[in-house]
Amino acid sequence: KAVLVLAFGGPASLDDVEPFLKNILKGRTIPPALLASAIERYKIIGGKSPLLEITNAQAAAIEKSMNKDGGSYRVYTGMRYWRPLIKDTIKKMHDDGVREILAVTMAPFNSPLATGGYEDDVYQEAKAGYPGALTIKWLHDWHIRPEFISLIADNVREGLSAFAKKEDALVIFSNHSVIMSALEGDPYQMKIDMTVSEIVKNCPCDHKTGFQSVGRGNPLDWLGPRVEDLIEGAKKAGKKGVLIVPLGFVSDHVETLYDIDILFRGITEKNGLIFKRCPSLNTNPRFTELLARILKLAIERFNY
């Protein structure tokens, strides 16, 4: 039995950006403007994505915590769109003698729309490459664990301490947008709303839930409101600043380091507002120990 920690993946260099995008687009032609824009964003944040390094560090911390009482648990890392690819990690797990895999996607809000692709990829690879040899189970719904709520609330509380009065700031809980037409019957937005509700019970504040990383096409086709529009609204409401909480993103990558730290900061400061954001969870011990605790319990019971 072992744990498989999954993340989106990201280019390890500027030369990797094009093949990385081809993986995402499943070989379709990349519009030149899209490629140029992506390369420029990665160039600005240091020439690569830190996501693999962070996810590997999270996996190592989870494994260490799971084994602190003398266990022998193994935690592996797989990426959906870049190396190590899910198929390569599953092969390694199989070669290492693993037969029962407990998988967890490093995204708080699991749903068929938000994270179903990860599950499909894992199941398909296990079925195609190792028919009948691997049992796959999933850890779901850790977004509503009291420890997770408390951790985010404490981060919000600390972020608000930068303002003279907490009422001076609009707290914006940011999440990845999705296409509206695909959202019907999917619990993604409901889970976000549930989590935000619990967080603000713990840390009352003036807040809004926003969405970022809208894809190409008409913005109205995507779940909103957009974070950009909420920042503009904060200005009109007389706020002195915004505190952005990367709720839907547990690790730093281009959507936090560029979209939030550069794009949203620029919009905020252009409006004469103070910009603050809560840190991503990354390898925060409270976060990795939470996952280690519930993963270990699930494996021991083999009732995921």
Side-chain angles (χ1 to χ4, degrees), residues 13-287:
S13 70
L14 293 179
D15 290 338
D16 291 337
V17 174
E18 184 172 5
F20 170 64
L21 291 179
K22 284 183 178 179
N23 285 347
I24 296 173
L25 296 176
K26 301 188 183 304
R28 298 192 301 273
T29 301
I30 305 170
L34 175 63
L35 177 59
S37 174
I39 290 174
E40 182 62 21
R41 290 198 301 273
Y42 282 108
K43 187 181 296 183
I44 289 172
I45 68 169
K48 65 175 184 177
S49 171
L51 184 59
L52 176 59
E53 294 174 8
I54 293 170
T55 309
N56 281 339
Q58 290 169 331
I62 291 168
E63 183 176 283
K64 181 178 179 180
S65 182
M66 291 179 72
N67 292 326
K68 63 185 177 182
D69 296 325
S72 57
Y73 298 99
R74 295 284 303 277
V75 180
Y76 297 77
T77 300
M79 298 284 148
R80 191 172 184 205
Y81 292 115
W82 201 241
R83 297 184 288 266
L85 292 169
I86 288 172
K87 65 177 183 178
D88 298 326
T89 301
I90 289 180
K91 180 181 186 306
K92 178 171 176 51
M93 296 178 81
H94 180 269
D95 291 348
D96 286 348
V98 174
R99 294 298 179 264
E100 296 173 351
I101 297 175
L102 174 56
V104 57
T105 303
M106 297 301 275
F109 307 112
N110 63 280
S111 76
L113 180 58
T115 59
Y118 291 87
E119 300 192 18
D120 290 344
D121 287 355
V122 170
Y123 283 131
Q124 288 173 10
E125 184 59 33
K127 182 178 179 180
Y130 316 95
L134 294 173
T135 299
I136 314 291
K137 299 286 180 110
W138 293 84
L139 182 71
H140 288 151
D141 295 334
W142 46 268
H143 67 285
I144 206 62
R145 293 273 179 167
E147 305 98 314
F148 180 74
I149 299 297
S150 176
L151 173 53
I152 301 298
D154 285 347
N155 283 348
V156 172
R157 197 173 288 110
E158 182 176 351
L160 288 173
S161 70
F163 296 88
K165 298 183 298 182
K166 70 176 185 178
E167 292 81 9
D168 290 340
L170 176 66
V171 177
I172 301 175
F173 294 98
S174 188
N175 305 273
H176 203 295
S177 186
V178 293
I179 297 176
M180 288 291 293
S181 60
L183 191 60
E184 184 176 356
D186 190 278
Y188 178 65
Q189 186 173 13
M190 179 193 72
K191 291 185 176 185
I192 293 172
D193 291 343
M194 180 189 308
T195 302
V196 170
S197 176
E198 292 301 314
I199 292 168
V200 298
K201 285 179 185 177
N202 191 304
C203 178
C205 57
D206 189 0
H207 68 280
K208 300 284 186 181
T209 299
F211 297 87
Q212 65 176 85
S213 308
V214 170
R216 290 174 293 159
N218 188 343
L220 296 179
D221 294 336
W222 290 75
L223 178 62
R226 301 188 308 161
V227 171
E228 300 96 310
D229 296 333
L230 293 178
I231 294 170
E232 300 278 354
K235 172 69 173 180
K236 294 175 183 177
K239 295 294 182 181
K240 294 183 179 179
V242 298
L243 173 64
I244 297 183
V245 184
L247 182 62
F249 311 97
V250 300
S251 306
D252 277 321
H253 60 309
V254 71
E255 289 169 305
T256 61
L257 300 177
Y258 181 82
D259 292 355
I260 294 178
D261 291 349
I262 295 174
L263 179 61
F264 296 160
R265 177 189 289 274
I267 294 171
T268 301
E269 294 178 348
K270 183 179 179 180
N271 279 278
L273 299 174
I274 299 168
F275 172 89
K276 297 291 180 183
R277 80 119 154 153
C278 290
S280 299
L281 297 181
N282 291 330
T283 54
N284 185 311
R286 290 174 63 184
F287 174 56

